[in-house]
Amino acid sequence: MEQPRREAVSPARPHRGSVRNEAVHRDVLRAASELLDERGYSRLTMEAVAHRAKVGKATVYRWWSSKSALALEVLAERYQSHPVPDSGDSRQDLVAFLSVNIVEQLRQVDRATALALSADVADDPEARRIWVDLGVTRRRLGRAVVGRVIARGDLPEDTDVDLVLDMFAGFTFFRRNLTDRPIGVQYAEQLVDLLLGGQVPRRTAQRATGPPED
C-alpha cells in the first residue's frame, strides 16, 4: 500500500537581503537547532549561532530579523505535519491527528521555549508570520480530518470546525506548558471522546492518587 506523503512545514518567506546561499542557510539552521537544544531559547543568541555556523553575524541578521524568527524557522524545518490516512473510524482519525500533529510536537518543545516564543512572537512581525504559517498547515490537515468525521455523520453538518481545532490546540498548549498534568495519547483520546460523545473525562485510580506524569 502506498504510504501517505508527509507534508513538510517549511514556510516560504521573502529574502531580507541578497539571495541567500542555500548551503550557508542550512549551516545556520543546523547551528541554531543544535544551540537551541543545548542552551534553550532564553540563552540562544544570534552571535553564538553565527560562530557555530562559521559565518558573519551580519549574514544571520540579513536573513532573520530576530532570534525568535530564526528559532521558529528551526522548528518549522524540524517538525513535519503528517496527513492522517482515512481509516474509516472517526475516533481513530481524530486521535491520530491530535496525537501526532499537536500533542507529540508540543512534547518536543520545552516549556520555557514555548512560553518565551509565544511572548516574543507578539512583538515580532516576521516571527509571527512563521508562527501563523505553521498553524495554517496544521489547520489545513485538521480541517480535512474533521471534514471526514462530519461527512460520516459523526459530527453535525454545522460543526464549527475552526473552533474544534482551537479547542484541541488551546487545551493542549495550556496542559503542556502551564500545568504539571500529563499529556499523551490518553489525553488525546479523552478530548476526542468529549467532542464525539460528550463523554466527561474521568480520572483513573493511578492518576487520582499518583504523582503527575511527564
Side-chain angles (χ1 to χ4, degrees):
M1 180 180 298
E2 183 180 356
Q3 295 297 315
R5 185 180 63 183
R6 297 196 303 179
E7 181 173 347
V9 181
S10 183
R13 62 183 187 81
H15 297 304
R16 293 177 50 78
S18 59
V19 176
R20 60 189 178 190
N21 180 297
E22 286 304 318
V24 175
H25 173 229
R26 300 305 310 173
D27 287 343
V28 173
L29 286 178
R30 182 167 51 252
S33 180
E34 292 171 357
L35 289 168
L36 191 61
D37 289 339
E38 292 171 12
R39 302 183 178 185
Y41 178 74
S42 63
R43 296 177 58 204
L44 180 72
T45 66
M46 302 290 260
E47 291 81 0
V49 171
H51 179 76
R52 176 72 63 91
K54 296 181 172 58
V55 300
K57 184 171 65 174
T59 297
V60 180
Y61 275 108
R62 185 181 307 125
W63 296 333
W64 293 277
S65 62
S66 64
K67 77 169 185 177
S68 56
L70 176 55
L72 278 170
E73 189 160 338
V74 166
L75 296 181
E77 292 282 328
R78 183 184 293 181
Y79 307 134
Q80 296 184 343
S81 291
H82 301 261
V84 176
D86 186 350
S87 70
D89 183 294
S90 294
R91 183 178 186 273
Q92 181 175 325
D93 288 357
L94 286 169
V95 170
F97 168 73
L98 182 57
S99 298
V100 175
N101 288 294
I102 298 180
V103 172
E104 186 56 35
Q105 290 184 12
L106 280 177
R107 283 167 63 94
Q108 296 181 52
V109 182
D110 66 85
R111 288 180 176 88
T113 294
L115 294 174
L117 270 172
S118 299
D120 286 355
V121 162
D123 299 318
D124 188 332
E126 183 179 2
R128 178 169 176 77
R129 190 196 57 72
I130 299 173
W131 181 283
V132 169
D133 284 347
L134 282 165
V136 166
T137 298
R138 181 180 294 154
R139 185 160 295 248
R140 183 169 62 248
L141 297 175
R143 284 198 186 105
V145 174
V146 177
R148 295 200 300 261
V149 175
I150 294 171
R152 295 185 190 116
D154 291 327
L155 284 175
E157 291 185 3
D158 60 352
T159 295
D160 188 331
V161 176
D162 283 320
L163 188 57
V164 168
L165 297 176
D166 287 345
M167 179 185 73
F168 284 170
F171 285 4
T172 306
F173 183 89
F174 178 85
R175 181 74 165 249
R176 170 64 177 86
N177 296 302
L178 299 177
T179 79
D180 290 326
R181 299 296 297 162
I183 186 168
V185 174
Q186 183 182 28
Y187 175 75
E189 291 174 341
Q190 289 178 309
L191 278 179
V192 170
D193 288 340
L194 180 61
L195 172 68
L196 291 179
Q199 182 175 323
V200 177
R202 301 297 181 91
R203 293 179 299 169
T204 64
Q206 180 179 6
R207 288 178 54 215
T209 61
E213 302 174 19
D214 292 331

